[in-house]
Amino acid sequence: MADLAYHRVYSELTAQIKHGQYSDYRLPDERTLSEQFGVSRSTIKRALGILVNRGIIFQKQGSGTFVNPLYFKSRPLFNYTGDNIGITDSLVKDGQKQSIKVLHFHVQKAKDEVAESLFLQPNEFVYRIERLRLVDDQPFMIEIGYLPIRLVPELNESVIQSSLYNYLQEEQHLMVTKSFLNISAEPSTEEDQKLLQLKPTEPVGLMEGIFFTDSGTPIEFSRMRIHYRYMQYNSFVSLS
Amino acid sequence: MADLAYHRVYSELTAQIKHGQYSDYRLPDERTLSEQFGVSRSTIKRALGILVNRGIIFQKQGSGTFVNPLYFKSRPLFNYTGDNIGITDSLVKDGQKQSIKVLHFHVQKAKDEVAESLFLQPNEFVYRIERLRLVDDQPFMIEIGYLPIRLVPELNESVIQSSLYNYLQEEQHLMVTKSFLNISAEPSTEEDQKLLQLKPTEPVGLMEGIFFTDSGTPIEFSRMRIHYRYMQYNSFVSLS
DNA sequence: AAGTGGTCTAGACCACTAC
DNA sequence: TAGTGGTCTAGACCACTTA
């Protein structure tokens, strides 16, 4: 992934923006970038397109390409900057300590919704992984994940005490790079209140969705119940 | 917009998928589509890319292009299928009656956050539009929007009783096609409870963000407080 | 008029999947 | 081995903004 031309351009531009290289909020024009990076304008457009899709820059026809000044002001829960799309890589932590407490771990036959979401054969088995995630010892998320055992035959309890997706990448050469999420909210249950240290009037955010590997295989169905103060999601949408 | 080649391909494919044309979940390969539509493969890829970004289809290298069976099962609050990205065009309603009640409407000097979000000059003026939105007489959203008067000089109270973005499109030839949203949740205030008919333990979803015209000009900063049962947001993310 | 992003093409070659 | 999606190029021409 990292050796692709468009990805190299994307990474370098992102780093430059983060380091404040474009303090006037203006990037060089596409033809200049094409020369600077030694790639075609199409490849530059592709790299810029990723930045646009994440809301980091925006482009105005006839005018130029500009950094979105709002992007770095918001404090979302997730910020996809690593290789993987999972929590560990995405969590905005700024030096805070991330930790995981395993609540339950076992194998079961996939129920309907899970089987459907993961495109499983009938009667296929999945791991059910229930974990509590904390930042600086403050619990902020209850996470229930389902993974087909067929895809990850050798999972065990010690693996899931830390980042599952890092394990998949390093030990199984699986990168998890796509997700389809549904986001909502509801009043907290008594269990939410206990685990996430919430008052009865305080709600949880819900994120539920499917995660895919780089090659398009659905690998996890996940339900997350999130302390409302940690629930921040950024979304850039463009109808074109 | 509708006369662009990639957009035509996108529209026709979307319609075909909705009408169940690909009941085996498999689309023709890109080279075949290229011939069928009489456009280059690059243009086909662009159209397919939009469908991928919205989570409607997914592609597997070496294997093919497939319809996402989950897409049509979820019931999000928004579903961007119209020309504009606004509520009116996007709200999934299925024959339900949509209505708007104007709570407040006036002109004021833009405060810091608004001015920053809309890239305004110092001391520029904005409309402040506070509306309650209902579906089938059930209130589901309090919406506070700010628009620069410079961009829409002739707004008045009768216009905002119905869709603002439809007015902008028809009377001002402005299409609103991009948005940068931040999504979160919090306990409801007393005013929320009164306007949205919520119990004290029931929360609101928050959506806050900037809306851009097709040419990239920020045209509205909006804060939405949403009845939690109506708060459903779909997001497809791909790290590439 | 000059500069910038947007659209589109035709084709080469690579990487992965299925048979 | 054939078929499919992924990457990348070099260039033409259009649309919009700014001066």
Side-chain angles (χ1 to χ4, degrees):
Chain A
M1 182 139 172
D3 53 342
L4 299 179
Y6 78 86
H7 194 269
R8 197 193 94 229
V9 174
Y10 159 74
S11 297
E12 292 189 19
L13 284 176
T14 306
Q16 288 176 4
I17 291 170
K18 276 194 187 153
H19 290 102
Q21 179 138 353
Y22 305 107
S23 49
D24 59 349
Y25 291 127
R26 188 192 187 89
L27 267 66
D29 70 277
E30 296 183 345
R31 288 159 180 89
T32 302
L33 288 171
S34 168
E35 277 184 27
Q36 281 181 8
F37 283 96
V39 298
S40 71
R41 189 175 158 217
S42 313
T43 299
I44 294 294
K45 286 189 93 65
R46 173 150 192 189
L48 292 177
I50 300 176
L51 289 160
V52 167
N53 275 328
R54 303 198 187 178
I56 299 173
I57 63 171
F58 60 94
Q59 299 187 285
K60 290 195 65 166
Q61 186 172 2
S63 181
T65 301
F66 306 89
V67 176
N68 175 2
L70 292 172
Y71 182 80
F72 293 100
K73 288 180 188 157
S74 67
R75 306 290 308 153
L77 175 61
F78 296 131
N79 195 342
Y80 305 118
T81 51
D83 285 340
N84 282 311
I85 206 172
I87 317 287
T88 304
D89 271 13
S90 311
L91 196 65
V92 174
K93 32 190 191 299
D94 293 334
Q96 294 172 90
K97 191 182 73 220
Q98 207 182 143
S99 56
I100 293 174
K101 188 177 161 194
V102 178
L103 301 177
H104 296 288
F105 176 61
H106 65 272
V107 171
Q108 66 184 40
K109 207 184 280 184
K111 292 183 181 134
D112 282 357
E113 187 183 9
V114 173
E116 202 164 59
S117 300
L118 296 175
F119 302 90
L120 301 183
Q121 308 298 323
N123 297 321
E124 234 189 290
F125 282 87
V126 292
Y127 302 103
R128 182 184 186 283
I129 305 170
E130 184 169 349
R131 304 191 286 185
L132 185 68
R133 286 178 175 272
L134 307 90
V135 183
D136 267 354
D137 300 320
Q138 166 66 43
F140 72 97
M141 176 190 287
I142 306 164
E143 182 198 20
I144 304 178
Y146 301 87
L147 282 89
I149 60 171
R150 172 172 46 85
L151 294 178
V152 199
E154 301 195 345
L155 211 56
N156 61 55
E157 188 147 354
S158 82
V159 168
I160 60 168
Q161 309 241 346
S162 57
S163 170
L164 178 52
Y165 289 2
N166 285 357
Y167 165 81
L168 293 178
Q169 180 174 2
E170 279 155 30
E171 307 296 326
Q172 315 275 341
H173 301 291
L174 289 172
M175 300 254 287
V176 183
T177 57
K178 303 182 220 291
S179 76
F180 183 57
L181 291 178
N182 182 276
I183 298 160
S184 59
E186 62 179 41
S188 53
T189 65
E190 279 185 23
E191 194 187 0
D192 294 332
Q193 290 159 26
K194 204 179 68 183
L195 289 171
L196 300 175
Q197 301 171 5
L198 287 163
K199 291 175 200 156
T201 55
E202 294 179 326
V204 290
L206 303 182
M207 297 182 55
E208 184 175 302
I210 311 170
F211 292 82
F212 301 84
T213 65
D214 210 32
S215 68
T217 306
I219 195 168
E220 183 177 14
F221 176 78
S222 179
R223 269 188 236 277
M224 297 168 254
R225 304 183 68 82
I226 305 164
H227 190 301
Y228 80 100
R229 279 210 206 82
Y230 291 83
M231 162 87 167
Q232 286 275 346
Y233 191 84
N234 274 352
S235 172
F236 184 82
V237 177
S238 174
L239 299 188
S240 55
Chain B
M1 180 137 174
D3 54 340
L4 298 180
Y6 78 87
H7 195 267
R8 198 192 94 230
V9 174
Y10 159 74
S11 298
E12 293 190 18
L13 284 176
T14 305
Q16 289 175 4
I17 291 170
K18 275 194 186 155
H19 290 102
Q21 179 139 350
Y22 305 107
S23 50
D24 59 349
Y25 291 128
R26 189 192 185 88
L27 267 67
D29 71 276
E30 295 183 345
R31 288 160 180 89
T32 302
L33 288 172
S34 167
E35 278 185 24
Q36 281 180 10
F37 283 96
V39 299
S40 72
R41 191 177 158 216
S42 313
T43 300
I44 293 293
K45 286 188 94 66
R46 174 148 190 193
L48 292 177
I50 301 177
L51 288 160
V52 167
N53 275 328
R54 303 200 189 178
I56 298 173
I57 62 171
F58 59 94
Q59 299 187 287
K60 289 195 67 167
Q61 186 172 4
S63 180
T65 301
F66 306 89
V67 175
N68 175 4
L70 293 171
Y71 183 79
F72 294 100
K73 288 179 188 156
S74 68
R75 307 290 308 152
L77 175 61
F78 297 131
N79 195 344
Y80 305 117
T81 52
D83 284 340
N84 281 312
I85 208 171
I87 317 287
T88 305
D89 272 13
S90 311
L91 195 66
V92 174
K93 34 188 190 301
D94 292 335
Q96 295 172 91
K97 192 183 75 224
Q98 208 183 142
S99 57
I100 293 174
K101 188 178 161 193
V102 178
L103 301 176
H104 296 288
F105 175 63
H106 64 271
V107 171
Q108 64 184 39
K109 206 183 279 185
K111 294 186 179 128
D112 282 357
E113 188 181 9
V114 173
E116 204 163 59
S117 300
L118 297 174
F119 302 92
L120 301 181
Q121 309 298 323
N123 296 322
E124 230 186 296
F125 283 88
V126 293
Y127 302 104
R128 182 183 186 282
I129 305 170
E130 184 169 349
R131 303 191 288 184
L132 185 68
R133 285 176 176 270
L134 308 89
V135 182
D136 268 355
D137 301 321
Q138 167 66 43
F140 72 96
M141 176 191 285
I142 306 164
E143 182 198 17
I144 303 177
Y146 301 86
L147 283 88
I149 59 171
R150 171 171 48 85
L151 295 178
V152 198
E154 302 196 346
L155 212 55
N156 61 55
E157 189 147 354
S158 80
V159 167
I160 60 169
Q161 310 244 347
S162 57
S163 170
L164 177 53
Y165 289 2
N166 285 357
Y167 165 82
L168 292 178
Q169 181 174 1
E170 279 153 30
E171 306 297 325
Q172 315 275 342
H173 301 289
L174 289 172
M175 302 254 288
V176 183
T177 58
K178 303 181 219 289
S179 76
F180 183 59
L181 292 179
N182 182 275
I183 299 159
S184 59
E186 64 179 40
S188 53
T189 64
E190 279 184 24
E191 193 187 1
D192 294 333
Q193 291 159 25
K194 204 179 66 183
L195 289 170
L196 299 175
Q197 301 170 5
L198 286 162
K199 292 175 199 156
T201 55
E202 294 179 327
V204 290
L206 303 182
M207 296 181 56
E208 184 175 303
I210 312 169
F211 292 82
F212 301 85
T213 65
D214 209 33
S215 69
T217 307
I219 194 167
E220 183 179 12
F221 177 78
S222 179
R223 269 188 237 276
M224 298 167 255
R225 304 182 69 82
I226 305 164
H227 188 301
Y228 80 99
R229 280 209 207 84
Y230 291 84
M231 162 88 166
Q232 286 276 345
Y233 191 84
N234 274 353
S235 171
F236 184 81
V237 177
S238 174
L239 298 187
S240 56

